[in-house]
Amino acid sequence: MVIADIIMVRQFSTKINRRSLSSLSMLCATLTLLVDLAYSSVTCGPGIKSIGGTVPSGDIVLEYGSGVPLEITCILQSDTIIVQNLFRDRTDSSNKTKLPSHRIMFYKNAEIVPKQYVTIVNATAAQLRIPNPPVGRNTYYCTVLLDYERRQNDSYVNSDGDHSSTTLSSGPSTLPPVQPAPTSSDTNGSHQPGSQLGVCLNTVYVGYKPEIIRNFTCISNNWVSLKCNWTTSENPIRTTYKLLFRLPGRAGGRIFINCPTDSDIKENSCYWDFKTTPMYRQPYEFYDFRLNGQNALGNVSTFINFHHYANIIPASPINITVIDKTESSVMLKWSVGTMTDFPRELIHKIEYKSQWDSNPEYWQSINISDTCSAPILSNKTNTFLYDMNCQERDNDFYYFNVTDLKYPFTHYDFRIYVRSSLARGEDKWSPPGSITLKTKPSIPRRPPRTDIGSFESITSRIDQTKRDVFIYWQKIDDSEKCGDSFEYRAYYTSNTTQNETTIHYSNEIYDNYAKFQGLNTSVGYNFTVYSSNNEGLSTEYSTIYVPSESEILEKPIFLTKMIFDQQGVFELSWKNNGTTKSFTSDELNYYTVFWCENVKGLPYQCNGYVNWTHVPGSEFRYNVTILNYNAKNHYQFAISANSRRLLSNESNPQNNFNSSGMVWESCTIQNNITARKVENVWVNVIGSTFIGLKWNIDCTDRIGLVGEYQIFYCAVVSITSNICNGSMLSKTMSREAAQKEGGFTLLTNLKPYTTYIVSIAISTNYGKGIHSDPLLVTTLGLGGGWYFKQEYPKIIQQIMKHSLYF
């Protein structure tokens, strides 16, 4: 009634004729009276005692972007004591006239609303008008300022009745939140200076009409229940959705059926099974859903034609068993429970991996159909071809033979999935059913690898006609052993006078080598190596021919291993034996560099994994980088010299190859040669004018790292001092000369009965090394003769060569 009265008054006011200006004052007074009378009955709400109210009252709902402004009129009841007092107190501290409506203030939540959004309607009413209110839920309320004692409130209301300039925003206002103020129910008209009195409030919802749902999904769990879900957009206006469905056909095509519970309204989901009312309709392939959305702004309906059978996720396959297996195949049997009676075809997927697969996350996969197609007659072979990716089934079980498994005697993990053939996407597979099994054993896949030079022949020191022979091979991987009681077997054969063949097995056998004792040095032997387990010997075998000692190639010498700072990087160097025979033009000569990982270093025999590479015969240095290097282990190296005839000898194949056999490293050095010093320097001869020095030739000399030796010496101040009495003298000796002399040099032209300090340093291409520990040596007096620590004919010859006199 109040709103209607306001509209009537406004319509009436628009009919004023411009020529009736003489009666304008009377008309305005009449309108003011009518408005006051119309608003005089406005309250804040049932049961709420207040000095006024708002129009409209209660919650306000607006559609965002519709162009409809937010309008709230705050009205004071003129018949209350407080408002009547405000009529009497019409002036502020500046004697400016104020109506009660000038004292009305609007707040949005805890923030004051700027003046440009507020209009004075009459003496007891003011209107808030926001043209484009933002999306959200906010509380707007109005208060009345009871006096003008607070200066900060004076800034809001000025003398002409307008509100001061302030910007409406979501940030903090220049005014603090309104303090609690008394209402008409708890005041008798008196008040504290600067206080405000709450009049009324509205909760304002600015949002949207219900939207069509585009993310509606339903999933059937194992064809025994169905659950539908959807999500809605954020909307400050409370919006509910109700789900209904109908079934195709005459019986259910006209009736929409509700969700069994109100979960559609509360949780945006709906669930059916065989116990709900209505119950889950299992036999129907399609459903027609209608999703009705509703809020204060309107209604909307979303229609979905749901393909039921394409959205079923079966349970895991069950009762998985192995009914047959070989070393490379497994016949599996399983059932699918409730899905056994599913009226459409099922697709199955089998995944498997073995214990030897390097990537534990990778599974081999086979997709198989529900039924086998009829065999096809091949025109080329006149035989029937079968679809190997189909499966057999009976009333309760499915069967499939997984073939081409790579590893015998191996644990395999199998996973079986199932889904509807109508489903699309990888998200419709069932959880997997699992089984672990072991394939049957077989003979080993292959023998161990060998090389032409993977042997070592050691002649007996006692009987030069006998020798021990070591045969080396590369261990096969555990995945290739294929059975229990795996071992290697190595032997050679000989023929008796009765033309009978005798097998001679090794005297000792280990993981990567076999030892044959007491073999004849004048006989060449052809050794055979098999892999073996409980199932038998490997089909193939490896052979190594060891020539007689007279035919065997000369061994490389001085194999030296240099260890680099980078872990797993080694440099090998070697030399040819000076007596090595020259190769003919029809022979290919090369080296084999071997390395073996072992827990202990030399002289312990390496029983680890042996690897090798071939190096051209023109090379005498080779770098090896060990993959998967283990710093805790030792790496032993060996080398063999090999030759192969380019023109094969068919009558005697052994004559096509020859080798020296393996020579193990005899020297190990670090690559930082400049950080090394000569060890074990001593004096072995002393005279009045000379000193003979001796030292051990380090194995680094073998590979040419040492350029020369420098001997430093000088007379010292006293026998207890290392300070030179004069300049330091030096003598340089080449590496070749040092090797020839066996690590000996003679310092001559010295003073009798004088103490000298002596040291030796290595000079290399990388710089000078560290000096050896200094020696203090005192020459003999004149006529003192020679003093030898040991007898050295070469030393005597050098002394005589220098024509020294004593």
Side-chain angles (χ1 to χ4, degrees):
M1 180 64 72
V2 175
I3 299 300
D5 290 342
I6 295 173
I7 295 173
M8 178 186 71
V9 172
R10 289 179 177 173
Q11 289 176 344
F12 176 72
S13 66
T14 59
K15 297 179 181 179
I16 300 176
N17 195 310
R18 293 183 179 180
R19 298 176 182 179
S20 305
L21 297 177
S22 60
S23 59
L24 182 58
S25 299
M26 184 180 296
L27 179 59
C28 290
T30 303
L31 290 174
T32 301
L33 178 61
L34 290 173
V35 172
D36 286 343
L37 292 173
Y39 287 160
S40 63
S41 61
V42 173
T43 63
C44 190
I48 300 176
K49 296 180 180 181
S50 177
I51 63 171
T54 56
V55 178
S57 62
D59 294 346
I60 300 173
V61 179
L62 298 175
E63 183 179 2
Y64 177 73
S66 64
V68 177
L70 170 62
E71 293 181 341
I72 302 175
T73 302
C74 185
I75 305 163
L76 304 177
Q77 293 183 1
S78 57
D79 56 350
T80 62
I81 296 174
I82 293 177
V83 176
Q84 290 173 3
N85 289 340
L86 294 178
F87 271 108
R88 286 193 296 271
D89 184 15
R90 285 176 172 264
T91 60
D92 59 13
S93 59
S94 302
N95 292 323
K96 295 179 181 179
T97 301
K98 295 294 181 182
L99 295 173
S101 60
H102 291 160
R103 301 170 181 264
I104 295 174
M105 302 174 67
F106 285 92
Y107 285 84
K108 174 186 177 183
N109 301 323
E111 300 175 7
I112 194 170
V113 177
K115 72 162 192 174
Q116 62 262 36
Y117 299 104
V118 181
T119 303
I120 302 301
V121 177
N122 57 28
T124 58
Q127 185 186 61
L128 170 69
R129 187 177 191 276
I130 300 176
N132 297 299
V135 173
R137 176 187 181 275
N138 298 285
T139 300
Y140 289 83
Y141 56 95
C142 62
T143 67
V144 62
L145 187 64
L146 298 181
D147 58 43
Y148 297 99
E149 295 302 322
R150 295 173 67 184
R151 182 173 299 277
Q152 59 184 353
N153 288 335
D154 286 344
S155 65
Y156 181 79
V157 182
N158 53 36
S159 59
D160 59 3
D162 290 335
H163 298 273
S164 63
S165 177
T166 311
T167 302
L168 179 65
S169 69
S170 59
S173 171
T174 57
L175 290 178
V178 178
Q179 301 298 322
T183 64
S184 58
S185 63
D186 56 9
T187 182
N188 56 6
S190 64
H191 54 267
Q192 298 295 323
S195 62
Q196 296 183 51
L197 183 65
V199 178
C200 199
L201 60 83
N202 300 83
T203 300
V204 178
Y205 300 87
V206 181
Y208 313 94
K209 293 179 180 179
E211 295 181 344
I212 292 177
I213 299 299
R214 304 188 185 279
N215 56 2
F216 180 86
T217 59
C218 294
I219 293 295
S220 171
N221 180 26
N222 199 35
W223 204 35
V224 295
S225 65
L226 179 67
K227 186 175 184 179
C228 297
N229 296 277
W230 60 94
T231 57
T232 59
S233 302
E234 292 290 331
N235 195 342
I237 302 172
R238 184 176 183 273
T239 305
T240 60
Y241 285 85
K242 189 168 183 60
L243 183 64
L244 306 95
F245 74 91
R246 65 183 179 184
L247 301 170
R250 294 183 179 181
R254 298 180 181 179
I255 303 173
F256 275 95
I257 304 171
N258 291 329
C259 184
T261 65
D262 60 355
S263 62
D264 52 349
I265 297 174
K266 293 181 177 180
E267 303 170 5
N268 290 337
S269 67
C270 191
Y271 174 82
W272 299 266
D273 60 24
F274 297 134
K275 296 180 181 180
T276 59
T277 303
M279 66 183 297
Y280 173 50
R281 305 303 178 94
Q282 185 187 53
Y284 289 88
E285 185 171 350
F286 291 90
Y287 283 66
D288 288 327
F289 285 109
R290 186 175 76 186
L291 192 59
N292 294 331
Q294 180 181 7
N295 66 16
L297 297 179
N299 304 303
V300 70
S301 293
T302 304
F303 294 92
I304 303 106
N305 180 251
F306 172 63
H307 194 178
H308 178 201
Y309 286 178
N311 289 277
I312 294 176
I313 298 181
S316 304
I318 56 177
N319 302 322
I320 303 175
T321 56
V322 178
I323 60 175
D324 190 22
K325 64 182 179 180
T326 68
E327 66 272 11
S328 61
S329 67
V330 175
M331 175 65 80
L332 297 174
K333 170 186 173 182
W334 69 94
S335 63
V336 293
T338 303
M339 296 297 293
T340 301
D341 298 323
F342 187 61
R344 297 293 182 268
E345 182 182 350
L346 295 177
I347 300 295
H348 298 257
K349 177 172 66 175
I350 298 179
E351 293 182 340
Y352 63 90
K353 65 178 180 180
S354 79
Q355 68 184 91
W356 309 120
D357 291 333
S358 57
N359 183 359
E361 303 301 322
Y362 178 74
W363 294 73
Q364 296 279 351
S365 182
I366 308 171
N367 281 1
I368 50 180
S369 60
D370 194 13
T371 57
C372 296
S373 58
I376 302 172
L377 181 63
S378 171
N379 294 329
K380 294 183 178 180
T381 61
N382 200 30
T383 58
F384 286 101
L385 301 178
Y386 293 89
D387 181 5
M388 298 307 294
N389 278 349
C390 71
Q391 62 189 348
E392 300 176 3
R393 65 169 297 184
D394 53 28
N395 291 335
D396 298 314
F397 291 96
Y398 291 85
Y399 305 85
F400 188 79
N401 191 30
V402 182
T403 58
D404 298 326
L405 298 179
K406 185 176 181 180
Y407 303 107
F409 199 63
T410 295
H411 288 286
Y412 277 89
D413 293 323
F414 282 87
R415 301 191 303 201
I416 304 178
Y417 304 78
V418 61
R419 77 174 183 186
S420 167
S421 60
L422 302 174
R424 296 295 179 266
E426 293 300 305
D427 59 337
K428 300 299 189 300
W429 287 107
S430 71
S434 303
I435 190 172
T436 298
L437 54 90
K438 191 172 187 179
T439 50
K440 284 188 173 183
S442 70
I443 61 173
R445 288 288 181 86
R446 63 176 180 87
R449 286 181 60 222
T450 59
D451 186 74
I452 181 177
S454 57
F455 69 88
E456 183 179 12
S457 179
I458 302 176
T459 303
S460 172
R461 294 181 179 181
I462 300 174
D463 184 354
Q464 295 294 308
T465 64
K466 301 296 181 183
R467 56 177 172 167
D468 293 341
V469 175
F470 294 83
I471 304 297
Y472 295 90
W473 56 78
Q474 187 180 80
K475 297 189 295 185
I476 71 173
D477 191 77
D478 289 342
S479 64
E480 300 174 292
K481 294 179 179 179
C482 303
D484 282 324
S485 302
F486 178 85
E487 62 181 355
Y488 298 102
R489 294 189 182 182
Y491 63 88
Y492 69 92
T493 60
S494 63
N495 293 328
T496 64
T497 54
Q498 290 79 22
N499 208 22
E500 294 178 352
T501 301
T502 302
I503 298 178
H504 303 271
Y505 287 101
S506 59
N507 300 96
E508 300 175 19
I509 194 161
Y510 301 92
D511 280 349
N512 68 346
Y513 72 95
K515 181 180 180 181
F516 295 84
Q517 296 175 332
L519 302 187
N520 197 317
T521 57
S522 62
V523 176
Y525 295 89
N526 196 37
F527 295 92
T528 302
V529 185
Y530 281 92
S531 297
S532 171
N533 62 20
N534 282 346
E535 307 302 312
L537 297 176
S538 56
T539 304
E540 298 177 346
Y541 54 88
S542 295
T543 59
I544 301 175
Y545 178 67
V546 179
S548 64
E549 288 298 316
S550 62
E551 296 174 340
I552 203 167
L553 292 182
E554 292 288 347
K555 295 178 173 64
I557 59 174
F558 299 149
L559 178 62
T560 303
K561 175 179 69 179
M562 177 180 286
I563 303 175
F564 285 84
D565 294 335
Q566 304 142 289
Q567 289 190 341
V569 179
F570 302 87
E571 183 181 88
L572 302 174
S573 60
W574 60 91
K575 286 187 175 183
N576 261 337
N577 193 310
T579 61
T580 301
K581 67 175 183 178
S582 60
F583 294 96
T584 61
S585 59
D586 65 341
E587 288 181 323
L588 175 66
N589 62 90
Y590 61 95
Y591 297 101
T592 303
V593 173
F594 301 87
W595 59 95
C596 177
E597 181 180 5
N598 201 27
V599 176
K600 297 181 179 181
L602 291 171
Y604 294 95
Q605 180 65 42
C606 185
N607 199 27
Y609 187 81
V610 178
N611 208 345
W612 57 80
T613 187
H614 293 156
V615 179
S618 58
E619 300 293 328
F620 297 95
R621 194 183 302 270
Y622 187 77
N623 278 14
V624 175
T625 300
I626 306 286
L627 300 178
N628 302 318
Y629 174 80
N630 186 344
K632 295 181 179 180
N633 289 341
H634 295 266
Y635 292 86
Q636 301 173 13
F637 290 83
I639 190 170
S640 69
N642 316 307
S643 69
R644 178 171 66 87
R645 290 186 181 275
L646 300 179
L647 300 177
S648 62
N649 186 341
E650 298 296 339
S651 60
N652 189 359
Q654 289 89 348
N655 292 335
N656 295 328
F657 298 91
N658 200 356
S659 176
S660 65
M662 299 166 68
V663 179
W664 292 99
E665 65 189 74
S666 58
C667 180
T668 299
I669 61 173
Q670 297 290 333
N671 74 317
N672 53 345
I673 183 65
T674 57
R676 296 171 62 84
K677 66 180 181 180
V678 178
E679 303 287 351
N680 300 323
V681 180
W682 68 93
V683 176
N684 65 348
V685 62
I686 303 174
S688 300
T689 58
F690 62 88
I691 297 174
L693 295 178
K694 189 77 171 66
W695 66 92
N696 287 335
I697 298 293
D698 194 272
C699 68
T700 56
D701 291 354
R702 297 179 179 178
I703 57 175
L705 286 178
V706 174
E708 57 190 14
Y709 293 90
Q710 287 188 307
I711 300 92
F712 298 91
Y713 62 99
C714 69
V716 296
V717 176
S718 66
I719 60 174
T720 60
S721 172
N722 291 343
I723 300 174
C724 289
N725 184 15
S727 59
M728 175 70 74
L729 302 175
S730 66
K731 176 181 179 180
T732 301
M733 190 174 191
S734 67
R735 178 178 62 85
E736 292 78 10
Q739 287 181 339
K740 182 179 179 182
E741 300 297 336
F744 172 80
T745 189
L746 199 64
L747 301 180
T748 60
N749 299 321
L750 305 181
K751 295 179 180 180
Y753 203 66
T754 301
T755 301
Y756 287 85
I757 185 170
V758 182
S759 65
I760 302 176
I762 298 173
S763 177
T764 72
N765 295 331
Y766 302 99
K768 284 187 178 181
I770 302 172
H771 284 235
S772 64
D773 296 334
L775 294 176
L776 287 173
V777 185
T778 303
T779 56
L780 302 178
L782 290 174
W786 298 354
Y787 171 70
F788 284 98
K789 286 192 174 182
Q790 295 183 32
E791 288 292 335
Y792 284 102
K794 286 187 177 180
I795 296 174
I796 297 175
Q797 290 177 10
Q798 286 200 37
I799 294 173
M800 298 301 294
K801 179 180 178 181
H802 284 82
S803 302
L804 299 173
Y805 298 96
F806 312 101

